[in-house]
Amino acid sequence: MPDANFCRAAALGLLAVLAGCSPAAEPAPPTKAGPSLDAFKAAMIAEANQLTADYNSGDVGKLAAHYASDQVLMQDGGPNLDAAGAGARRKGQTSFAITLVTSNIIVDAPASQDMATVRSTCIVNVNDKTTGKLIMSQANNCLLGYRRQADGSMKVNWSLTSPTVPHAVSAPSAPPAPPAQPAPPATPA
């Protein structure tokens, strides 16, 4: 019968042979070198600022260029809009002077950089183009979901707005009533 040392040596030798026969781990696929995550987030902040500038330009084409063809727009108090509905809404907005101001922009993104969420605070003022009268002012929390497109660009795939304070849109107030006329002096009887 073989001694214990011989058995240990044989077992270790067998393990070494088996280890040599096992398939090697597959090398990781090469990754496309892109910007650092911090640079990507900075580019997304620049994109959000450009979207705001294009929104304020009133140019529907410039604004539409920021959105994916299959986008969904979710706004408080309104129905969810698909791409066609959101496009129609943007065209309808051209009869108003709309100003959008964004602040506190924060970008969350994975290392893959294939998507990003952009959170911000935004204030929307809507004025009548003819009279300049303020129709509505609303403060919102805004959330935009960007997704990388087939051409490599990042476009808004979904957006959500929620008011930060309750708001009401009211009809313009009626003009003030004319002052009451004093009663005529009493005539002697």
Side-chain angles (χ1 to χ4, degrees):
M1 177 173 211
D3 75 342
N5 287 336
F6 176 79
C7 289
R8 262 188 236 125
L12 289 175
L14 182 59
L15 285 174
V17 169
L18 291 175
C21 292
S22 66
E26 291 293 322
T31 57
K32 188 168 116 179
S36 71
L37 190 54
D38 288 340
F40 176 74
K41 288 179 178 183
M44 292 309 303
I45 289 172
E47 156 58 25
N49 286 326
Q50 186 61 54
L51 185 148
T52 299
D54 290 344
Y55 193 98
N56 290 333
S57 77
D59 185 322
V60 175
K62 282 183 179 179
L63 182 59
H66 293 271
Y67 291 87
S69 61
D70 60 347
Q71 68 160 312
V72 176
L73 173 64
M74 298 168 274
Q75 55 191 2
D76 68 294
N80 290 348
L81 300 175
D82 62 7
R89 180 174 182 262
R90 281 192 287 276
K91 286 178 185 166
Q93 289 175 332
T94 59
S95 43
F96 302 101
I98 301 175
T99 306
L100 175 66
V101 177
T102 55
S103 60
N104 303 320
I105 299 173
I106 298 170
V107 175
D108 295 310
S112 65
Q113 302 177 17
D114 59 344
M115 59 182 269
T117 56
V118 177
R119 298 178 281 151
S120 66
T121 302
C122 57
I123 297 173
V124 180
N125 291 316
V126 181
N127 293 72
D128 181 287
K129 269 191 175 176
T130 307
T131 65
K133 180 174 175 64
L134 180 67
I135 298 170
M136 182 187 87
S137 183
Q138 180 177 327
N140 295 305
N141 285 322
C142 299
L143 184 61
L144 303 175
Y146 281 81
R147 185 180 69 201
R148 188 162 308 281
Q149 305 300 298
D151 66 0
S153 66
M154 295 295 289
K155 294 199 177 197
V156 177
N157 185 245
W158 54 265
S159 59
L160 172 68
T161 59
S162 177
T164 56
V165 294
H167 66 282
V169 178
S170 57
S173 58
Q181 297 294 326
T187 56

